[in-house]
Amino acid sequence: MFLDVLKAPFAVPVPAVISRSQEGPGEMGRAVLIPREEQEKMKELFKINQFNLLASDRIALNRSLPDVRLDGCKSKVYPEELPNTSVVIVFHNEAWSTLLRTLHSVIARSPPRLLAEIVLVDDASEREFLKASLENYVKKLDVPIRILRMEQRSGLIRARLRGAAASRGQVITFLDAHCECTLGWLEPLLARIKEDRKTVVCPIIDVISDDTFEYMAGSDMTYGGFNWKLNFRWYPVPQREMERRKGDRTLPVRTPTMAGGLFSIDRSYFEEIGTYDAGMDIWGGENLEMSFRIWQCGGSLEIITYSHTGQIFQEFPEIFPSNSLEIPRRIGQLQDFPWPGMFDGSCLTIPGVVKVDYGDVSVRKALRESLGCKPFSWYLENVYPDSQIPRRYYSLGEIRNVETNQCLDNMGRKENEKVGFFNCHGMGGNQVNKNREKHLKNKEDIFHGIKSHSLNSPLLTLRHLNSNQCLAEPSEEDRLVPTMRECGGGRSQQWLLRNMTLGA
Ligand code: UDP
Ligand code: MN
């Protein structure tokens, strides 16, 4: 099905649209609207890369963009002496017009002395036009451009590693293959790295509509975080960070994580902190792993609000495997954190995963050791205190019934559904419970944990607030659901909390 689309006659690239006036389609970042009679064709083309290719192909490869910077950013003067950068762009079956627009925007809007070269890494694309046609095209451009080809599909991380290793600039700037850089995007990134080589910097990421290719300014009021499921998410810049910057929105935002598509890093620092974790496949999650590592191992991560770069925001193309579960599991192993135990708030019942093969992490753990990296709890406490993940736990781990020796288990159900009961497997996943307080919350049901015996005992009874009953072992009829009974029932109402990592 996908290959059929590839072979469709209109999948060949349009000739480079280079001459333009400010009036042309998409100029100044305006939206391109496709007339009704072409909607069918537009929909067909959309399937190829999960964006409106017909619209993209109508826009000049060097289209003009609005200057979306805050006023205070426009007049900023940078030191003459800045490190230069290699721009590394990896791609897999990227569309011609979006890839070339990325290149043209880099070339047009980077001071030549700062742009050492562009390194393109083709992650085993199948499309013909990305072969000789691309080589011939880039030869005519005014900047040294190399194209490296992965022999087989290797994924974003390994492709980027290849590009980084072959590059020569003092700084490495990674870009996705469907970006547009705006005026003045590069200088502030390099200037910050010059000030502090251990700062890894991201521009504000503007949105290029996947539908109309309209260019929309990203916000300087959001920063990168992540949720329980270890998905990268944008969140409002918290008050404490606004205060640290004394309300000056042109100052860099210290961000807990980066989106990953676009950032600059000092080359030697990139190597020093261990580049990427090449044990991660395809893409997704590598940005979080790297963000954690940067912060934990002595660096910092910032959004430079002077710098804007647009990126097409697409739904994930079907050709890529969805964010796989090996990656959260692998990150969890690196961080000694029971990911992907999927917990949320203080609820018990979020589906998780138990057995996934996350590969060998010993080398990466040794690296962290040798770098003297701080633990995840430090990161949560100091870098991301606004996180949904509580810094301190009363318990984090399984809840085992003393009588039956079985565990509370969410049975892979959706969040907020009733909890189940199953053999303890000690693998985390659905049996990981996390509680900030000594109580257990499930939907509207709140249980208060009451310590049995001595103060140091990990044994609890769990008293239901509304009914005043206690959580107990299942009944004979249904061995898979815990019951509620009058309190005082002895061992069948005693629960052993086993902490897995971060104790309170
Ligand atoms: N990419 C790649 N190999 C892959 C997957 C992705 O080279 O196996 C490239 C892709 O062409 C793009 C970048 O990696 O330049 C990021 O991928 P994508 O845009 O799909 O990710 P998203 O921006 O949606 O996170
Ligand atoms: Mn992308």
Side-chain angles (χ1 to χ4, degrees), residues 377-388:
S377 54
W378 175 89
Y379 171 87
L380 289 179
E381 186 108 20
N382 294 279
V383 181
Y384 196 22
D386 338 274
S387 156
Q388 302 171 4

Side-chain angles (χ1 to χ4, degrees), residues 4 8 13 43 55 74 105 115 133 147 158 229 275 285 294 335 363 398 420 459 491 494 501 503:
D4 286 349
K43 283 187 193 139
K74 292 179 189 167
S105 76
L115 182 61
S133 309
I147 306 180
R158 276 162 247 168
K229 297 180 188 176
T275 67
I294 289 165
Q335 296 289 349
V363 175
E398 64 184 28
L459 288 185
R491 288 167 60 86
Q494 277 170 3
T501 48

Side-chain angles (χ1 to χ4, degrees), residues 176-178 311-312 314:
D176 270 3
H178 32 255
Q311 191 188 14
I312 300 178
Q314 322 142 258

Side-chain angles (χ1 to χ4, degrees), residues 344-385:
D344 184 14
S346 42
C347 298
L348 182 69
T349 51
I350 309 284
V353 175
V354 180
K355 281 183 194 150
V356 279
D357 179 14
Y358 51 83
D360 177 21
V361 292
S362 57
V363 175
R364 299 301 292 181
K365 284 202 131 177
L367 168 79
R368 293 178 59 89
E369 191 78 18
S370 71
L371 290 171
C373 305
K374 299 193 176 88
F376 196 60
S377 54
W378 175 89
Y379 171 87
L380 289 179
E381 186 108 20
N382 294 279
V383 181
Y384 196 22

Side-chain angles (χ1 to χ4, degrees), residues 192 196 198-201 254-255 269 294-295 298-302:
R192 185 69 184 118
D196 179 356
K198 294 188 172 184
T199 305
V200 179
V201 290
R254 289 160 70 92
T255 181
Y269 186 59
I294 289 165
W295 281 114
S300 60
L301 189 55
E302 292 183 352

Side-chain angles (χ1 to χ4, degrees), residues 90-92 123 153 155-156 176-178 283 311 314 316 320:
V90 307
F91 61 90
H92 175 78
D123 188 12
R153 175 87 181 273
L156 161 86
D176 270 3
H178 32 255
W283 96 138
Q311 191 188 14
Q314 322 142 258
F316 294 139
F320 297 146

